[in-house]
């Protein structure tokens, strides 16, 4: 489907369709757009209870947990909704709940966050699904699920009747189907009847069984690894090998989901974007060793929807969503990533460049864990699709990707007195914010040979416009036992061309350049985000 979403940025100022770095101002600009988004699905309440254990109970060899702290958070579709609201969207939530203490707490938190819950139907015959984790000493011991049970047809019909009004004046719809039953019966039939015809809406499906919603022809489907395996009828391998299997089944996943693009979330391995047209795109998570986080996938879906509703390029939207999920997963419980949280996270990459000595110390630790280091270098002045594709390819050559940036003086020597457009501080922050990049450093020498000799990466990666024989670095790398890898050349993508286009543009451009991977569309009549 062709959906005319509002644009963020413009060509005159070097709009986001061209300059894809994630910086601290971006979440604030997206929040200022206040996109109108409806979330419809299974609403839940998550409980996180913690206490101490000092004895076993008499009835069985089971620990007695003396609860000291009780916390509750919106879960399921409600977690997606509250994350969207925290990121600046105007959100209405639709679903079914009981009329009980759990629903009272759920509604209180949602209303306080600014979520419109008038379309969440409370039925006295239902129990609000509540999932309570009980922990001690930072370890989850047990989860107790109080589930909704069979949903009366009358409740489904009430929700179904509200759907046409829900869709009025909206920019995006997220269908969150956790299999709890709210989206069955009349609700399912109504959604399948109405949504495919609403081509102006961005449609995102986040479902345990995405193939069940293929008839919606969504713009995006967001299965996790287990859900993707179910769609394919295969068992995915453990660890990093899952991404390769997902890529191998690219076409089957798209067909099963009926979607324009599928984003498979892989927990610690990040995500894989599989679009119908354009290149496959990877992100890498910044995991924590021991986390008691839940709902980071909902945060990912919320941030992805927000970014696409504001017409960020698809690959940039996935990177943006990965950054939001990284914030959530570093917190305990079912957490929310706000605009301020994400801005601080991205601003934290400012000053992220390490000197050679500190970089060598960090890489020594990774090598002790058996990880291979990849290094590439360049100016990376105005980030564009060629850069991001290149860096993602470099990351897949090993385990740790180091990007060595030319200093500002070095760029001037190479490119002329009017370059760089962005200072080394800005360039380092933008590159460091990419999920595929682990470390950034800066060099001022004519070539990175001194740096290569200092950190001795297992793989030195360069773009396809070079050959090993052209590089003075090749002999150095091969002398210490490393390997030079030449990556694919991305034609018609150059920083100089982007800079010339920005300087020569006098009016905003909403054309289809880079449509295959950016997904940009003509603007609506409402104001663009400046």
């Amino acid at each position: 489907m062709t959906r005319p979403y509002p644009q963020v940025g413009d060509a005159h100022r070097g709009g986001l369709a061209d300059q894809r770095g994630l910086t601290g101002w971006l979440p604030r600009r997206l929040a200022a757009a206040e996109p109108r988004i409806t979330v419809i699905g299974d609403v839940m309440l998550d409980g996180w209870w913690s206490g101490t254990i000092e004895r076993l109970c008499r009835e069985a060899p089971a620990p007695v947990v003396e609860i000291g702290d009780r916390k509750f958070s919106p879960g399921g579709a409600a977690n997606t909704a509250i994350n969207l609201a925290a990121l600046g969207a105007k959100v209405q939530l639709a679903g079914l709940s009981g009329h009980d203490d759990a629903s009272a707490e759920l509604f209180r938190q949602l209303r306080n966050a600014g979520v419109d819950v008038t379309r969440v139907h409370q039925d006295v015959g239902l129990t609000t699904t509540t999932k309570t984790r009980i922990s001690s000493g930072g370890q989850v011991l047990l989860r107790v699920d109080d589930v909704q049970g069979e949903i009366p047809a009358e409740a489904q019909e009430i929700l179904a009747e509200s759907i046409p009004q829900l869709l009025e004046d909206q920019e995006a719809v997220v269908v969150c189907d956790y299999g709890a039953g709210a989206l069955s019966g009349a609700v399912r039939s109504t959604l399948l009847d109405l949504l495919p015809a609403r081509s102006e809406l961005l449609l995102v499906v986040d479902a345990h069984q995405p193939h069940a919603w293929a008839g919606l022809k969504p713009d995006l489907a967001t299965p996790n690894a287990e859900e993707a395996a179910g769609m394919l009828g295969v068992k995915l391998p453990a660890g990093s090998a899952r991404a390769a299997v997902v890529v191998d089944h690219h076409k089957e996943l798209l067909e099963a989901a009926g979607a324009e693009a599928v984003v498979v979330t892989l927990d610690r391995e990040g995500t894989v974007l599989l679009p119908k047209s354009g290149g496959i795109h990877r992100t890498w998570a910044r995991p924590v060793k021991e986390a008691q986080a839940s709902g980071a996938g909902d945060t990912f879906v919320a941030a992805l929807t927000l970014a696409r509703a504001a017409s960020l390029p698809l690959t940039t939207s996935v990177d943006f969503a990965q950054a939001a999920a990284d914030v959530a997963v570093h917190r305990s419980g079912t957490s929310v990533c706000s605009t301020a949280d994400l801005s601080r996270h991205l601003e934290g990459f400012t000053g992220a460049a390490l000197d050679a000595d500190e970089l060598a110390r960090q890489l020594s630790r990774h090598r002790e864990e058996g990880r291979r280091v990849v290094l590439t270098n360049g100016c990376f002045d105005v980030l564009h699709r060629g850069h991001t594709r290149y860096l993602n390819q470099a990351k897949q050559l090993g385990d740790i990707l180091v990007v060595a940036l030319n200093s500002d003086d070095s760029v001037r020597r190479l490119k002329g007195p009017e370059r760089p457009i962005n200072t080394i501080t800005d360039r380092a922050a933008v590159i460091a914010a990419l999920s595929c990049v682990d470390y950034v450093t800066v060099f001022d020498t004519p070539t990175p040979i001194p740096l290569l000799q200092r950190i001795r990466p297992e793989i030195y990666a360069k773009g396809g416009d070079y050959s090993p024989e052209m590089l003075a670095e090749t002999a150095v790398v091969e002398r210490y036992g490393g390997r030079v890898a030449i990556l694919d050349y991305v034609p018609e993508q150059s920083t100089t061309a982007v800079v010339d286009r920005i300087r020569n543009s006098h009016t905003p451009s909403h054309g289809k350049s880079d449509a295959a991977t950016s997904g940009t569309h003509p603007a609506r009549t409402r104001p663009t985000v400046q």
Side-chain angles (χ1 to χ4, degrees):
M1 296 179 203
T2 301
R3 306 183 191 273
Y5 313 135
Q7 299 289 312
V8 176
D10 56 66
H12 178 66
R13 296 179 54 200
L16 295 172
D18 286 326
Q19 190 168 349
R20 302 199 176 189
L22 301 182
T23 53
W25 56 262
L26 180 57
R28 295 189 290 271
R29 188 174 291 187
L30 294 181
E34 295 185 316
R36 298 176 299 278
I37 299 174
T38 290
V39 178
I40 181 167
D42 295 308
V43 300
M44 306 173 189
L45 184 68
D46 282 354
W48 294 85
W49 296 11
S50 62
T52 58
I53 298 175
E54 296 182 353
R55 58 193 173 92
L56 298 178
C57 69
R58 295 177 180 178
E59 298 82 3
V64 175
V65 183
E66 295 187 6
I67 301 298
D69 185 44
R70 292 176 175 85
K71 293 181 180 178
F72 292 96
S73 305
N79 188 34
T80 302
I82 202 169
N83 271 276
L84 276 164
L87 289 168
K90 288 189 173 181
V91 186
Q92 56 180 355
L93 175 63
L96 300 172
S97 77
H99 204 299
D100 47 23
D101 290 343
S103 69
E105 176 64 20
L106 180 61
F107 276 43
R108 183 188 68 80
Q109 292 198 29
L110 289 168
R111 288 188 180 115
N112 287 345
V115 176
D116 181 350
V117 294
T118 56
R119 300 297 178 181
V120 179
H121 173 61
Q122 293 179 285
D123 191 293
V124 293
L126 290 176
T127 297
T128 302
T129 298
T130 305
K131 299 181 178 182
T132 305
R133 287 89 169 165
I134 299 174
S135 67
S136 180
Q139 178 65 50
V140 174
L141 306 173
L142 180 69
R143 194 181 89 179
V144 180
D145 288 3
D146 195 5
V147 297
Q148 206 163 47
E150 186 175 351
I151 297 176
E154 295 83 358
Q156 292 174 336
E157 288 168 3
I158 291 172
L159 178 57
E161 289 171 1
S162 71
I163 291 174
Q165 188 174 354
L166 274 170
L167 303 182
E168 291 180 6
D169 198 31
Q170 295 297 291
E171 296 169 68
V173 174
V174 186
V175 175
C176 295
D177 183 6
Y178 292 81
L183 299 185
S184 57
V187 178
R188 174 180 170 80
S189 299
T190 302
L191 290 173
L192 287 170
D193 285 343
L194 294 182
L195 282 178
R198 298 295 299 269
S199 61
E200 79 281 5
L201 291 171
L202 169 70
L203 179 55
V204 180
V205 168
D206 183 32
H208 281 344
Q209 295 183 325
H211 55 280
W213 295 100
L216 292 180
K217 301 298 180 184
D219 296 282
L220 289 165
T222 58
N224 61 27
E226 182 180 350
E227 291 158 357
M231 293 167 69
L232 296 170
V234 301
K235 184 176 181 180
L236 294 181
S240 58
R242 293 184 297 175
V245 175
V246 165
V247 171
D248 288 342
H249 291 84
H250 180 177
K251 292 181 179 179
E252 295 98 312
L253 283 169
L254 283 167
E255 183 176 352
E260 292 298 308
V262 171
V263 184
V264 181
T265 56
L266 300 170
D267 302 316
R268 297 177 66 88
E269 283 79 46
T271 72
V272 181
L273 166 63
L274 308 169
K276 265 190 179 178
S277 59
I280 292 167
H281 180 71
R282 279 290 311 273
T283 70
W284 280 262
R286 302 178 191 271
V288 291
K289 288 186 178 180
E290 296 181 8
Q292 289 191 37
S294 176
D298 300 327
T299 302
F300 180 91
V301 171
L304 177 63
T305 303
L306 179 87
R308 287 300 290 142
S311 277
L312 256 68
L314 185 50
T315 52
T316 310
S317 298
V318 176
D319 287 336
F320 182 84
Q322 180 67 69
D326 287 342
V327 172
V329 82
H330 280 74
R331 295 174 172 173
S332 60
T334 307
S335 63
V336 172
C337 176
S338 69
T339 297
D341 294 333
L342 190 49
S343 288
R344 280 194 297 270
H345 175 69
L346 295 174
E347 286 165 351
F349 293 108
T350 300
L354 302 181
D355 62 33
D357 290 339
E358 177 60 25
L359 177 61
R361 282 192 290 271
Q362 295 293 333
L363 296 181
S364 175
R365 175 173 57 85
H366 290 299
R367 287 191 172 107
E368 289 173 0
E369 298 170 350
R371 298 181 179 178
R372 294 176 303 160
V373 176
V374 181
L375 182 140
T376 191
N377 66 283
C379 300
F380 296 99
D381 190 1
V382 177
L383 207 65
H384 55 69
R385 177 167 63 96
H387 290 144
T388 55
R389 177 176 170 183
Y390 168 81
L391 292 172
N392 274 282
Q393 288 179 354
K395 171 72 172 186
Q396 294 176 70
L397 294 174
D399 304 299
I400 302 296
L401 177 60
V402 178
V403 179
L405 297 175
N406 293 79
S407 68
D408 289 347
D409 286 342
S410 176
V411 175
R412 278 188 282 272
R413 291 193 296 268
L414 289 169
K415 306 291 186 179
E418 294 186 346
R419 299 281 296 277
I421 301 296
N422 294 300
T423 67
I424 187 58
T425 301
D426 291 335
R427 289 186 286 128
V430 168
I431 291 294
L434 295 176
S435 67
C436 60
V437 176
D438 296 287
Y439 295 101
V440 175
T441 191
V442 180
F443 69 99
D444 191 48
T445 51
T447 72
I449 286 176
L451 180 64
L452 289 167
Q453 293 171 325
R454 177 72 179 85
I455 68 170
R456 300 163 71 92
E458 281 75 12
I459 300 164
Y460 177 54
K462 291 296 289 184
D465 43 351
Y466 293 92
S467 68
E469 294 74 24
M470 295 169 60
L471 299 170
E473 299 95 310
T474 298
V476 174
V477 173
E478 292 179 346
R479 191 176 302 126
Y480 66 70
R483 177 170 69 89
V484 176
I486 303 301
L487 302 179
D488 292 345
Y489 178 66
V490 181
E492 299 179 2
Q493 291 290 329
S494 82
T495 299
T496 300
V498 172
V499 171
D500 288 344
R501 187 161 68 248
I502 293 170
R503 287 173 171 165
N504 294 331
S505 297
H506 301 291
T507 58
S509 171
H510 300 302
K512 289 190 176 182
S513 71
D514 195 20
T517 55
S518 75
T520 55
H521 298 278
R524 284 187 178 189
T525 55
R526 81 177 181 88
T528 60
V529 181
Q530 300 296 331

